[in-house]
């Protein structure tokens, strides 16, 4: 195994886990691997930590490796990750500390390649097939403290990260300012920032002054976790509208609301004809429901969710998009949470137009 030391742009604990997983696979199967840096080419390629080339006889198979320092313990997380696999330019695999036999089997069914530090694995490519499950959970003392810290993608942490991504200057402000912008308790901010620092997403540019690092990758993680961690907490309610064009002349501003999903995508790109209608609203939706004659329907095309950001903070967001639409990052996340090919195509357009320069904006 050849490790390109010093060229991987990932925290040391992630590099260590990747090496540990590759070595465990080699010991079990004899399959060698070459590990090198991954060159990101934009938000839709972000999230990978290294490029791994497996060698089996004369065969060579490459995977972009995405290292997660926390255990993947819910089917919904795998399903959300699987939904976006097709958009990547290279085959991609997960590398985690441990994958239970049940989760490993779900990976196989969903065709999600993975490795863990115990030697459990699923790889399926021309000339290379590996499936190992049920090996005992490994003891990795040097990762234990780090793994315990990784809670930034809990719902309140997701709100905080959203605020930081929309206004990167917040990273250098005091905890009270960050808490207000994110709409979270003051005590939340400290552990979120500590976790982001441990994951390599914050660094100190001057004494005491922090700055976001690798925001492209942080965006991609936020987008992947949004449908399973934060969105379910927004008390979504569904309705049916009185007629197909009901939405075209509504002033959502008077309801303290913004368009998300497909309508936001249409406003941001002019490309997508909306078939579903997502609204993020501050406060109670009663007035909107009454005036727009929306009828409760669990299968309705209209979805109303609680807006999870501070209204006053909107002035600090980077502009360039319609004021009746949610920020491009949230519209992008809404589209990526679907499996609709037209939505994924529009998501690429939103990325290219609004999100591609996140690294320069931080």
């Amino acid at each position: 195994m050849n490790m390109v030391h010093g060229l991987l742009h990932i925290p040391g604990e992630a590099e260590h886990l990747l090496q540990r997983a590759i070595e465990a696979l080699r010991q079990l199967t004899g399959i060698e691997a070459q590990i090198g840096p991954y060159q990101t080419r934009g938000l839709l390629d972000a999230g990978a930590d290294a490029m791994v080339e497996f060698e089996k006889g004369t065969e060579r198979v490459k995977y972009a490796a995405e290292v997660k320092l926390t255990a993947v313990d819910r089917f919904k997380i795998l399903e959300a990750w699987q939904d976006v696999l097709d958009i990547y330019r290279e085959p991609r695999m997960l590398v985690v500390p441990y994958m239970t036999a049940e989760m490993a089997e779900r990976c196989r069914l969903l065709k999600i390649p993975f490795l863990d530090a115990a030697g459990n694995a699923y790889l399926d490519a021309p000339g290379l097939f590996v499936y190992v499950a049920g090996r005992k959970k490994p003891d990795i003392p040097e990762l234990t403290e780090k793994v315990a810290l990784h809670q930034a993608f809990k719902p309140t942490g997701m709100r905080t990260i959203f605020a930081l991504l929309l206004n990167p200057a917040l990273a250098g402000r005091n905890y009270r300012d960050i808490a207000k912008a994110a709409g979270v308790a003051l005590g939340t901010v400290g552990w979120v920032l500590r976790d982001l620092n441990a994951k390599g997403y914050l660094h100190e540019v001057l004494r005491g002054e922090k700055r976001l690092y690798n925001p492209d990758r942080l965006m991609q993680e936020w987008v992947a976790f949004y449908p399973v961690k934060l969105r379910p907490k927004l008390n979504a309610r569904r309705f049916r509208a009185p007629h197909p064009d009901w939405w075209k002349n509504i002033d959502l501003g008077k309801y303290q609301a913004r368009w998300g999903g497909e309508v936001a995508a249409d406003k941001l790109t002019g490309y997508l004809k909306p078939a579903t209608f997502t609204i993020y609203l501050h406060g109670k939706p009663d007035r909107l429901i009454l005036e727009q004659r929306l009828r409760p329907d669990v299968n309705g095309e209209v979805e109303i969710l609680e807006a999870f950001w501070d209204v006053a903070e909107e002035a600090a967001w980077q502009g360039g998009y319609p004021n009746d639409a949610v920020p491009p990052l949230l519209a992008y996340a809404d589209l990526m949470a679907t499996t609709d090919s037209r939505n994924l195509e529009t998501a690429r357009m939103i990325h290219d137009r609004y999100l591609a320069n996140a690294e320069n904006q931080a």
Side-chain angles (χ1 to χ4, degrees), residues 198-216:
K199 289 173 76 69
Y201 288 130
L202 281 178
H203 67 131
E204 205 165 355
V205 290
L206 295 171
R207 188 166 187 173
E209 183 181 341
K210 292 183 172 60
R211 183 176 177 180
L212 283 184
Y213 179 76
N214 203 356
D216 278 349

Side-chain angles (χ1 to χ4, degrees), residues 238-243 292-297 299-302:
R238 284 196 171 272
F239 301 85
R240 188 161 298 281
H243 55 83
Q292 300 304 322
R293 295 182 292 154
L294 302 178
R295 293 170 297 159
D297 185 337
N299 297 312
E301 74 279 14
V302 182

Side-chain angles (χ1 to χ4, degrees), residues 2 12-13 21 36 62 70-71 83 102 123 135 161 182 203 215 223 237 252 275 277 280 288 321 323 337 341 346 349:
N2 179 28
E13 66 272 15
K62 286 186 176 181
T70 51
D83 283 344
E102 186 179 27
L123 302 172
R135 289 182 60 82
I161 293 170
H203 67 131
V223 168
R237 297 169 61 185
L252 279 187
F277 307 91
Y280 288 87
L288 172 65
Y321 58 91
N323 61 12
S341 59
T346 309
M349 297 173 67

Side-chain angles (χ1 to χ4, degrees), residues 26-306:
R26 187 193 67 79
Q27 290 183 9
L28 278 175
T29 66
I31 296 173
E32 299 285 347
Q34 306 288 329
I35 309 176
Y38 180 79
Q39 299 299 321
T40 297
R41 289 173 289 179
L43 180 59
L44 290 176
D45 284 330
D49 297 295
M51 183 64 74
V52 180
E53 182 178 57
F54 294 98
E55 306 170 8
K56 186 179 180 184
T58 59
E59 299 293 336
R60 299 289 187 273
V61 177
K62 286 186 176 181
Y63 283 97
E66 191 168 329
V67 183
K68 304 290 187 185
L69 294 175
T70 51
V72 176
D73 57 0
R74 295 185 182 182
F75 289 160
K76 284 187 177 180
I77 293 176
L78 288 179
E79 289 162 1
W81 201 78
Q82 190 261 354
D83 283 344
V84 300
L85 282 181
D86 290 341
I87 73 171
Y88 294 125
R89 292 179 173 84
E90 299 92 359
R92 187 164 288 221
M93 69 176 179
L94 282 174
V95 180
V96 296
Y98 185 64
M99 193 77 78
T100 66
E102 186 179 27
M103 297 298 289
E105 175 62 10
R106 181 55 63 99
C107 284
R108 187 184 68 81
L109 292 173
L110 294 175
K111 299 189 179 302
I112 297 176
F114 81 89
L115 301 178
D116 76 9
N120 297 304
Y122 169 67
L123 302 172
D124 188 2
L128 177 68
F129 179 81
V130 177
Y131 180 51
V132 180
R135 289 182 60 82
K136 183 180 178 182
K137 187 174 183 178
D139 180 24
I140 316 178
E142 56 270 49
L143 286 180
T144 301
E145 182 180 351
K146 295 290 185 182
V147 170
L149 283 172
H150 289 268
Q151 303 181 66
F153 293 98
K154 289 184 174 181
T156 51
M158 292 284 287
R159 294 171 187 248
T160 307
I161 293 170
F162 183 73
L164 290 170
L165 288 172
L166 293 183
N167 182 9
L170 273 175
R173 305 279 292 277
N174 61 53
Y175 283 12
R176 191 171 300 280
D177 289 344
I178 297 173
K180 181 181 182 302
V184 300
L186 185 60
T188 297
V189 176
W191 60 257
V192 172
L193 296 187
R194 285 193 296 273
D195 191 12
L196 291 178
N197 186 67
K199 289 173 76 69
Y201 288 130
L202 281 178
H203 67 131
E204 205 165 355
V205 290
L206 295 171
R207 188 166 187 173
E209 183 181 341
K210 292 183 172 60
R211 183 176 177 180
L212 283 184
Y213 179 76
N214 203 356
D216 278 349
R217 182 168 183 256
L218 182 58
M219 276 188 184
Q220 190 64 25
E221 286 219 56
W222 191 91
V223 168
F225 278 105
Y226 174 69
V228 293
K229 291 293 187 180
L230 181 52
R231 207 175 198 275
K233 303 294 184 182
L234 302 180
N235 297 318
R237 297 169 61 185
R238 284 196 171 272
F239 301 85
R240 188 161 298 281
H243 55 83
D245 295 331
W246 71 278
W247 60 279
K248 290 186 176 179
N249 297 311
I250 296 176
D251 176 12
L252 279 187
K254 70 179 184 179
Y255 302 110
Q256 294 225 356
R258 302 286 185 275
W259 290 112
E262 295 182 10
V263 178
D266 177 53
K267 289 179 176 291
L268 290 167
T269 66
Y271 176 78
L272 186 67
K273 182 179 179 181
T276 63
F277 307 91
T278 303
I279 297 172
Y280 288 87
L281 183 143
H282 293 278
K284 294 183 178 181
D286 302 20
R287 182 184 168 205
L288 172 65
I289 294 167
L290 179 64
E291 293 182 357
Q292 300 304 322
R293 295 182 292 154
L294 302 178
R295 293 170 297 159
D297 185 337
V298 293
N299 297 312
E301 74 279 14
V302 182
E303 185 179 30
I304 300 178
L305 304 99
E306 293 178 358

